[in-house]
Amino acid sequence: MASETIATTRLSLRPPTSGNLMTILNIDGGGIRGIIPGVILQYLESELQALDGEEARLADYFDVVSGTSTGGLITVMLTAPNENNRPLYAAKDIVPFYVENCPKIFPQVGGPFAGIIKLLKTLVGPKYNGKYLQNLVKSLLGTTKLSQTLTNVVIPTFDIRDMQPVIFSSFQVPREPSMDAQLSDICIGTSAAPTYLPAYYFQNGDREFNLIDGGIAANNPSLVAVGEVTRQILKEDPNFPAISPFEYDRYLLISIGTGTQKQTPKFDAKMAAKWGVIGWLTNQGSAPLIEAFTEASADLVVMHNNIVFEALNSVDNYLRIQDDALTGDLASVDVATKENLDGLLKVGEALLDNPVSRVNTDTGMVESVPNGGTNREALKRFAQRLSDERKLREVNYSSGQMIM
C-alpha cells in the first residue's frame, strides 16, 4: 500500500524518465540560522512564480528535497501536504515562521548571571527542554507520514542506541514500511542536537528509534540525496532513466548552507589544548565539539560535490550558496533574540548579491567563480532551467515519450 500511496500523491512533478534532469534541493542544518536558506528559497520560488504563476511551489520542481536538522524542518514545511494536497508552506512563509517560533523554541536567559545559568543547564541536561518544538510540529503535521510528502524527501538522523545513521528516505518506504514514520517524529528526531535539545524516542510499527540530530552524520545531506537517487537508478526504478551513475550532467543540484564563521574563528589549538569535557561542550556560547562534527561533515560533502561535478564536466549543474563570514551571535544556532534573528535575515539578503563561489579543489579555499555573477543571478538561471524541465516532462509524459 505504501508504494500505491506514493504513486497517487506525488503528481506535481512528472518522473525524471520524461525529462532530461534529476533535480535535487538541499538545505543544511544550523538551528536558527535556517532563516538564511529561508531567504534564498523565497527568492528562488518567487522566480519560479514569475515564470509559471503564483501557485508555483518548490515541491513542483524538485525530484528530491533533502535537509538535516533545521534543514529537515524546512524540507517538511515545503513538501508536506495541506488539506488541498498542496505544500503546507510557501517559501515566503519560512522566515516569518522562524521569527515567530525560534524565541519560544530557544528561550533566552537574561540578567547578570545568564552565563552561569546556561553553564549549569548544560552540565545537568540539554539547554532547552524541546517541548515547544515538539508540540508545534505535532500540531502542524498531525499524523501525516513520510509516504505522503508531495515530492521525495531525504532527512538524516542518528540513532544513539544503535550508533549508526538513520536516513528517512521516501525511496526506502516501499522496501522498509517501518521507515514510513510520522513527519513530526522525523522533524523532532533530526533536530535533537546534543547539548541543545533532548534525544527523541518513538516507535513505528515493530521498530524503535532513539534519535539525535542528523548533523552528527550529515549536516549537508546533499551527497546522501544523490546517493538515494543513484541507488534507484541501480535498482532500475522505472521512474528514473537507465543511465550511468556517473552521468552528472543529468543531475541538477542546488545546495544551501546556513552560514559559518570560518573567516572569523573563535578557537585555536592553544585554547582547545586546555579544554576538558566542559570546555568541549560549552565555550563562548557554543558547543565546539558539536560544531566540529557538523562543520567537518558538511565541508567534506562540499569538497566531494565540487570534485565530482568538476571531474565529470558538470559544474554548471551544481550551485552551492553559503556564507563563511558570520560573526558573533550570528554564528550561533540558538541565540534567538529579535536583534539576532533580524541580523540573520539581513545576512540572507546580502548573500543573494554575493558572487557565486566554489571550493578550489586544490587549496580547499572558497573562491568566487569567474564570470559566475551573483547568487541572485545564478538562482534566476536555475529557475529557468527548472521551469523548462518541468514543462518538458509534462509534454513528454502526456505524449507517452520517455527519455532514457
Side-chain angles (χ1 to χ4, degrees), residues 64-102:
V64 185
V65 182
S66 58
T68 295
S69 194
T70 199
L73 178 59
I74 293 174
T75 294
V76 170
M77 291 172 69
L78 297 174
T79 62
N82 62 16
E83 63 277 6
N84 298 315
N85 213 32
R86 293 294 292 150
L88 191 61
Y89 283 84
K92 66 180 177 60
D93 300 321
I94 295 172
V95 171
F97 176 90
Y98 272 70
V99 170
E100 177 184 353
N101 292 293
C102 281

mmCIF file of all heavy atoms in Angstrom, residues 64-102:
data_model
loop_
_atom_site.group_PDB
_atom_site.id
_atom_site.type_symbol
_atom_site.label_atom_id
_atom_site.label_comp_id
_atom_site.label_asym_id
_atom_site.label_seq_id
_atom_site.Cartn_x
_atom_site.Cartn_y
_atom_site.Cartn_z
ATOM 1 N N VAL A 64 13.799 15.493 -5.492
ATOM 2 C CA VAL A 64 14.181 15.198 -4.114
ATOM 3 C C VAL A 64 14.460 16.511 -3.390
ATOM 4 O O VAL A 64 15.125 17.398 -3.939
ATOM 5 C CB VAL A 64 15.441 14.310 -4.036
ATOM 6 C CG1 VAL A 64 15.744 13.932 -2.583
ATOM 7 C CG2 VAL A 64 15.306 13.065 -4.887
ATOM 8 N N VAL A 65 13.970 16.621 -2.159
ATOM 9 C CA VAL A 65 14.374 17.708 -1.266
ATOM 10 C C VAL A 65 14.995 17.056 -0.040
ATOM 11 O O VAL A 65 14.370 16.196 0.598
ATOM 12 C CB VAL A 65 13.189 18.601 -0.848
ATOM 13 C CG1 VAL A 65 13.680 19.739 0.046
ATOM 14 C CG2 VAL A 65 12.473 19.157 -2.078
ATOM 15 N N SER A 66 16.230 17.435 0.276
ATOM 16 C CA SER A 66 16.921 16.851 1.429
ATOM 17 C C SER A 66 17.253 17.942 2.435
ATOM 18 O O SER A 66 17.495 19.097 2.073
ATOM 19 C CB SER A 66 18.211 16.144 0.989
ATOM 20 O OG SER A 66 19.089 17.030 0.314
ATOM 21 N N GLY A 67 17.269 17.562 3.705
ATOM 22 C CA GLY A 67 17.595 18.527 4.746
ATOM 23 C C GLY A 67 17.910 17.835 6.053
ATOM 24 O O GLY A 67 17.356 16.772 6.356
ATOM 25 N N THR A 68 18.803 18.439 6.818
ATOM 26 C CA THR A 68 19.173 17.928 8.137
ATOM 27 C C THR A 68 18.813 18.950 9.193
ATOM 28 O O THR A 68 19.007 20.155 8.989
ATOM 29 C CB THR A 68 20.682 17.634 8.203
ATOM 30 O OG1 THR A 68 21.001 16.580 7.317
ATOM 31 C CG2 THR A 68 21.107 17.240 9.613
ATOM 32 N N SER A 69 18.336 18.479 10.349
ATOM 33 C CA SER A 69 18.060 19.347 11.492
ATOM 34 C C SER A 69 17.123 20.478 11.076
ATOM 35 O O SER A 69 16.025 20.215 10.604
ATOM 36 C CB SER A 69 19.378 19.876 12.071
ATOM 37 O OG SER A 69 19.191 20.456 13.339
ATOM 38 N N THR A 70 17.546 21.730 11.189
ATOM 39 C CA THR A 70 16.672 22.822 10.753
ATOM 40 C C THR A 70 16.357 22.706 9.266
ATOM 41 O O THR A 70 15.273 23.065 8.821
ATOM 42 C CB THR A 70 17.309 24.188 11.080
ATOM 43 O OG1 THR A 70 16.307 25.195 11.077
ATOM 44 C CG2 THR A 70 18.406 24.569 10.108
ATOM 45 N N GLY A 71 17.306 22.163 8.494
ATOM 46 C CA GLY A 71 17.051 21.917 7.078
ATOM 47 C C GLY A 71 16.006 20.843 6.863
ATOM 48 O O GLY A 71 15.248 20.883 5.897
ATOM 49 N N GLY A 72 15.952 19.864 7.775
ATOM 50 C CA GLY A 72 14.909 18.846 7.703
ATOM 51 C C GLY A 72 13.539 19.432 7.989
ATOM 52 O O GLY A 72 12.548 19.057 7.353
ATOM 53 N N LEU A 73 13.496 20.364 8.944
ATOM 54 C CA LEU A 73 12.230 21.040 9.235
ATOM 55 C C LEU A 73 11.753 21.828 8.020
ATOM 56 O O LEU A 73 10.574 21.766 7.644
ATOM 57 C CB LEU A 73 12.413 21.968 10.439
ATOM 58 C CG LEU A 73 11.197 22.790 10.852
ATOM 59 C CD1 LEU A 73 10.027 21.899 11.213
ATOM 60 C CD2 LEU A 73 11.549 23.710 12.028
ATOM 61 N N ILE A 74 12.668 22.570 7.374
ATOM 62 C CA ILE A 74 12.295 23.331 6.177
ATOM 63 C C ILE A 74 11.859 22.395 5.063
ATOM 64 O O ILE A 74 10.885 22.666 4.345
ATOM 65 C CB ILE A 74 13.474 24.219 5.724
ATOM 66 C CG1 ILE A 74 13.750 25.312 6.765
ATOM 67 C CG2 ILE A 74 13.182 24.855 4.361
ATOM 68 C CD1 ILE A 74 14.989 26.141 6.477
ATOM 69 N N THR A 75 12.566 21.276 4.913
ATOM 70 C CA THR A 75 12.189 20.276 3.909
ATOM 71 C C THR A 75 10.745 19.837 4.084
ATOM 72 O O THR A 75 9.968 19.768 3.113
ATOM 73 C CB THR A 75 13.119 19.052 4.013
ATOM 74 O OG1 THR A 75 14.452 19.434 3.655
ATOM 75 C CG2 THR A 75 12.655 17.915 3.119
ATOM 76 N N VAL A 76 10.360 19.558 5.306
ATOM 77 C CA VAL A 76 8.988 19.114 5.571
ATOM 78 C C VAL A 76 7.995 20.251 5.350
ATOM 79 O O VAL A 76 6.901 20.041 4.808
ATOM 80 C CB VAL A 76 8.885 18.544 7.002
ATOM 81 C CG1 VAL A 76 7.434 18.305 7.394
ATOM 82 C CG2 VAL A 76 9.675 17.244 7.099
ATOM 83 N N MET A 77 8.347 21.476 5.750
ATOM 84 C CA MET A 77 7.464 22.612 5.524
ATOM 85 C C MET A 77 7.134 22.769 4.040
ATOM 86 O O MET A 77 6.009 23.093 3.664
ATOM 87 C CB MET A 77 8.124 23.901 6.041
ATOM 88 C CG MET A 77 8.261 23.972 7.548
ATOM 89 S SD MET A 77 9.253 25.388 8.092
ATOM 90 C CE MET A 77 8.140 26.747 7.672
ATOM 91 N N LEU A 78 8.128 22.516 3.186
ATOM 92 C CA LEU A 78 7.967 22.719 1.746
ATOM 93 C C LEU A 78 7.285 21.554 1.045
ATOM 94 O O LEU A 78 6.789 21.714 -0.077
ATOM 95 C CB LEU A 78 9.335 22.955 1.099
ATOM 96 C CG LEU A 78 10.102 24.197 1.526
ATOM 97 C CD1 LEU A 78 11.498 24.189 0.909
ATOM 98 C CD2 LEU A 78 9.352 25.460 1.124
ATOM 99 N N THR A 79 7.276 20.374 1.680
ATOM 100 C CA THR A 79 6.798 19.174 0.973
ATOM 101 C C THR A 79 5.600 18.482 1.615
ATOM 102 O O THR A 79 4.949 17.659 0.960
ATOM 103 C CB THR A 79 7.930 18.138 0.851
ATOM 104 O OG1 THR A 79 8.340 17.725 2.164
ATOM 105 C CG2 THR A 79 9.125 18.714 0.102
ATOM 106 N N ALA A 80 5.303 18.781 2.868
ATOM 107 C CA ALA A 80 4.130 18.166 3.500
ATOM 108 C C ALA A 80 2.859 18.743 2.878
ATOM 109 O O ALA A 80 2.791 19.933 2.576
ATOM 110 C CB ALA A 80 4.145 18.416 5.004
ATOM 111 N N PRO A 81 1.836 17.920 2.693
ATOM 112 C CA PRO A 81 0.607 18.408 2.048
ATOM 113 C C PRO A 81 -0.325 19.101 3.034
ATOM 114 O O PRO A 81 -0.425 18.705 4.196
ATOM 115 C CB PRO A 81 -0.032 17.121 1.522
ATOM 116 C CG PRO A 81 0.409 16.076 2.507
ATOM 117 C CD PRO A 81 1.799 16.472 2.948
ATOM 118 N N ASN A 82 -1.030 20.123 2.542
ATOM 119 C CA ASN A 82 -2.114 20.707 3.322
ATOM 120 C C ASN A 82 -3.430 20.010 2.937
ATOM 121 O O ASN A 82 -3.419 18.998 2.231
ATOM 122 C CB ASN A 82 -2.194 22.228 3.117
ATOM 123 C CG ASN A 82 -2.499 22.619 1.669
ATOM 124 O OD1 ASN A 82 -2.950 21.795 0.853
ATOM 125 N ND2 ASN A 82 -2.255 23.872 1.330
ATOM 126 N N GLU A 83 -4.547 20.570 3.369
ATOM 127 C CA GLU A 83 -5.827 19.911 3.104
ATOM 128 C C GLU A 83 -6.171 19.884 1.612
ATOM 129 O O GLU A 83 -7.013 19.087 1.172
ATOM 130 C CB GLU A 83 -6.951 20.606 3.889
ATOM 131 C CG GLU A 83 -7.200 22.050 3.502
ATOM 132 C CD GLU A 83 -6.261 23.030 4.185
ATOM 133 O OE1 GLU A 83 -5.317 22.575 4.885
ATOM 134 O OE2 GLU A 83 -6.472 24.261 4.026
ATOM 135 N N ASN A 84 -5.512 20.732 0.815
ATOM 136 C CA ASN A 84 -5.748 20.762 -0.632
ATOM 137 C C ASN A 84 -4.677 20.006 -1.410
ATOM 138 O O ASN A 84 -4.573 20.131 -2.624
ATOM 139 C CB ASN A 84 -5.810 22.211 -1.121
ATOM 140 C CG ASN A 84 -6.954 22.979 -0.489
ATOM 141 O OD1 ASN A 84 -8.066 22.478 -0.397
ATOM 142 N ND2 ASN A 84 -6.684 24.205 -0.045
ATOM 143 N N ASN A 85 -3.863 19.222 -0.684
ATOM 144 C CA ASN A 85 -2.777 18.458 -1.295
ATOM 145 C C ASN A 85 -1.774 19.352 -2.012
ATOM 146 O O ASN A 85 -1.215 18.988 -3.051
ATOM 147 C CB ASN A 85 -3.317 17.391 -2.253
ATOM 148 C CG ASN A 85 -2.424 16.151 -2.272
ATOM 149 O OD1 ASN A 85 -1.818 15.799 -1.264
ATOM 150 N ND2 ASN A 85 -2.341 15.500 -3.422
ATOM 151 N N ARG A 86 -1.559 20.519 -1.436
ATOM 152 C CA ARG A 86 -0.513 21.435 -1.881
ATOM 153 C C ARG A 86 0.443 21.651 -0.712
ATOM 154 O O ARG A 86 0.125 21.319 0.437
ATOM 155 C CB ARG A 86 -1.125 22.775 -2.336
ATOM 156 C CG ARG A 86 -1.971 22.646 -3.593
ATOM 157 C CD ARG A 86 -1.128 22.256 -4.799
ATOM 158 N NE ARG A 86 -0.216 23.330 -5.197
ATOM 159 C CZ ARG A 86 0.961 23.127 -5.778
ATOM 160 N NH1 ARG A 86 1.401 21.896 -5.989
ATOM 161 N NH2 ARG A 86 1.714 24.155 -6.128
ATOM 162 N N PRO A 87 1.648 22.180 -0.950
ATOM 163 C CA PRO A 87 2.613 22.327 0.141
ATOM 164 C C PRO A 87 2.058 23.108 1.332
ATOM 165 O O PRO A 87 1.371 24.117 1.164
ATOM 166 C CB PRO A 87 3.778 23.072 -0.527
ATOM 167 C CG PRO A 87 3.701 22.649 -1.961
ATOM 168 C CD PRO A 87 2.227 22.550 -2.260
ATOM 169 N N LEU A 88 2.387 22.617 2.509
ATOM 170 C CA LEU A 88 1.900 23.214 3.747
ATOM 171 C C LEU A 88 2.348 24.668 3.867
ATOM 172 O O LEU A 88 1.593 25.526 4.334
ATOM 173 C CB LEU A 88 2.415 22.398 4.932
ATOM 174 C CG LEU A 88 1.831 22.675 6.308
ATOM 175 C CD1 LEU A 88 0.327 22.398 6.322
ATOM 176 C CD2 LEU A 88 2.537 21.811 7.357
ATOM 177 N N TYR A 89 3.569 24.946 3.421
ATOM 178 C CA TYR A 89 4.112 26.305 3.484
ATOM 179 C C TYR A 89 4.680 26.705 2.127
ATOM 180 O O TYR A 89 5.289 25.886 1.430
ATOM 181 C CB TYR A 89 5.241 26.403 4.512
ATOM 182 C CG TYR A 89 4.771 26.451 5.949
ATOM 183 C CD1 TYR A 89 4.490 25.269 6.635
ATOM 184 C CD2 TYR A 89 4.607 27.660 6.619
ATOM 185 C CE1 TYR A 89 4.062 25.294 7.956
ATOM 186 C CE2 TYR A 89 4.181 27.697 7.938
ATOM 187 C CZ TYR A 89 3.909 26.519 8.596
ATOM 188 O OH TYR A 89 3.482 26.552 9.899
ATOM 189 N N ALA A 90 4.473 27.961 1.760
ATOM 190 C CA ALA A 90 5.211 28.553 0.653
ATOM 191 C C ALA A 90 6.569 28.996 1.193
ATOM 192 O O ALA A 90 6.741 29.202 2.402
ATOM 193 C CB ALA A 90 4.449 29.756 0.085
ATOM 194 N N ALA A 91 7.537 29.158 0.317
ATOM 195 C CA ALA A 91 8.877 29.546 0.759
ATOM 196 C C ALA A 91 8.875 30.893 1.483
ATOM 197 O O ALA A 91 9.652 31.108 2.415
ATOM 198 C CB ALA A 91 9.828 29.581 -0.433
ATOM 199 N N LYS A 92 7.982 31.789 1.098
ATOM 200 C CA LYS A 92 7.929 33.108 1.725
ATOM 201 C C LYS A 92 7.481 33.045 3.183
ATOM 202 O O LYS A 92 7.628 34.010 3.937
ATOM 203 C CB LYS A 92 7.002 34.036 0.941
ATOM 204 C CG LYS A 92 5.530 33.633 0.949
ATOM 205 C CD LYS A 92 4.675 34.594 0.142
ATOM 206 C CE LYS A 92 3.225 34.157 0.077
ATOM 207 N NZ LYS A 92 2.578 34.060 1.397
ATOM 208 N N ASP A 93 6.927 31.902 3.597
ATOM 209 C CA ASP A 93 6.440 31.744 4.961
ATOM 210 C C ASP A 93 7.509 31.231 5.923
ATOM 211 O O ASP A 93 7.289 31.199 7.136
ATOM 212 C CB ASP A 93 5.256 30.770 4.994
ATOM 213 C CG ASP A 93 4.090 31.255 4.147
ATOM 214 O OD1 ASP A 93 3.829 32.470 4.151
ATOM 215 O OD2 ASP A 93 3.440 30.419 3.485
ATOM 216 N N ILE A 94 8.665 30.812 5.390
ATOM 217 C CA ILE A 94 9.683 30.195 6.244
ATOM 218 C C ILE A 94 10.258 31.200 7.240
ATOM 219 O O ILE A 94 10.318 30.936 8.448
ATOM 220 C CB ILE A 94 10.813 29.585 5.389
ATOM 221 C CG1 ILE A 94 10.277 28.424 4.549
ATOM 222 C CG2 ILE A 94 11.968 29.109 6.280
ATOM 223 C CD1 ILE A 94 11.269 27.887 3.542
ATOM 224 N N VAL A 95 10.692 32.357 6.756
ATOM 225 C CA VAL A 95 11.304 33.347 7.645
ATOM 226 C C VAL A 95 10.332 33.811 8.723
ATOM 227 O O VAL A 95 10.689 33.827 9.915
ATOM 228 C CB VAL A 95 11.871 34.534 6.844
ATOM 229 C CG1 VAL A 95 12.309 35.662 7.784
ATOM 230 C CG2 VAL A 95 13.056 34.080 5.990
ATOM 231 N N PRO A 96 9.082 34.197 8.387
ATOM 232 C CA PRO A 96 8.139 34.554 9.451
ATOM 233 C C PRO A 96 7.923 33.431 10.466
ATOM 234 O O PRO A 96 7.772 33.693 11.671
ATOM 235 C CB PRO A 96 6.843 34.876 8.691
ATOM 236 C CG PRO A 96 7.301 35.300 7.339
ATOM 237 C CD PRO A 96 8.501 34.450 7.045
ATOM 238 N N PHE A 97 7.912 32.186 10.001
ATOM 239 C CA PHE A 97 7.770 31.040 10.899
ATOM 240 C C PHE A 97 8.922 31.007 11.898
ATOM 241 O O PHE A 97 8.715 30.802 13.110
ATOM 242 C CB PHE A 97 7.736 29.756 10.078
ATOM 243 C CG PHE A 97 7.676 28.488 10.902
ATOM 244 C CD1 PHE A 97 6.455 27.939 11.257
ATOM 245 C CD2 PHE A 97 8.841 27.847 11.310
ATOM 246 C CE1 PHE A 97 6.400 26.775 12.016
ATOM 247 C CE2 PHE A 97 8.788 26.685 12.073
ATOM 248 C CZ PHE A 97 7.567 26.145 12.425
ATOM 249 N N TYR A 98 10.146 31.207 11.432
ATOM 250 C CA TYR A 98 11.318 31.188 12.315
ATOM 251 C C TYR A 98 11.311 32.373 13.273
ATOM 252 O O TYR A 98 11.617 32.217 14.460
ATOM 253 C CB TYR A 98 12.600 31.181 11.478
ATOM 254 C CG TYR A 98 13.054 29.791 11.105
ATOM 255 C CD1 TYR A 98 12.335 29.024 10.187
ATOM 256 C CD2 TYR A 98 14.190 29.226 11.660
ATOM 257 C CE1 TYR A 98 12.723 27.739 9.851
ATOM 258 C CE2 TYR A 98 14.600 27.945 11.327
ATOM 259 C CZ TYR A 98 13.858 27.203 10.422
ATOM 260 O OH TYR A 98 14.258 25.922 10.100
ATOM 261 N N VAL A 99 10.983 33.537 12.766
ATOM 262 C CA VAL A 99 10.970 34.733 13.608
ATOM 263 C C VAL A 99 9.951 34.580 14.730
ATOM 264 O O VAL A 99 10.194 34.981 15.879
ATOM 265 C CB VAL A 99 10.674 35.991 12.759
ATOM 266 C CG1 VAL A 99 10.418 37.200 13.650
ATOM 267 C CG2 VAL A 99 11.838 36.268 11.813
ATOM 268 N N GLU A 100 8.815 33.981 14.432
ATOM 269 C CA GLU A 100 7.770 33.819 15.439
ATOM 270 C C GLU A 100 8.093 32.722 16.449
ATOM 271 O O GLU A 100 7.859 32.888 17.660
ATOM 272 C CB GLU A 100 6.434 33.497 14.755
ATOM 273 C CG GLU A 100 5.298 33.247 15.749
ATOM 274 C CD GLU A 100 3.995 32.844 15.079
ATOM 275 O OE1 GLU A 100 3.921 32.878 13.833
ATOM 276 O OE2 GLU A 100 3.055 32.480 15.813
ATOM 277 N N ASN A 101 8.666 31.602 15.978
ATOM 278 C CA ASN A 101 8.771 30.432 16.840
ATOM 279 C C ASN A 101 10.137 30.196 17.471
ATOM 280 O O ASN A 101 10.218 29.564 18.533
ATOM 281 C CB ASN A 101 8.365 29.187 16.053
ATOM 282 C CG ASN A 101 6.890 29.176 15.710
ATOM 283 O OD1 ASN A 101 6.041 29.072 16.590
ATOM 284 N ND2 ASN A 101 6.573 29.312 14.426
ATOM 285 N N CYS A 102 11.212 30.678 16.871
ATOM 286 C CA CYS A 102 12.545 30.421 17.428
ATOM 287 C C CYS A 102 12.703 30.945 18.857
ATOM 288 O O CYS A 102 13.310 30.258 19.698
ATOM 289 C CB CYS A 102 13.619 30.993 16.515
ATOM 290 S SG CYS A 102 13.962 29.938 15.077
#
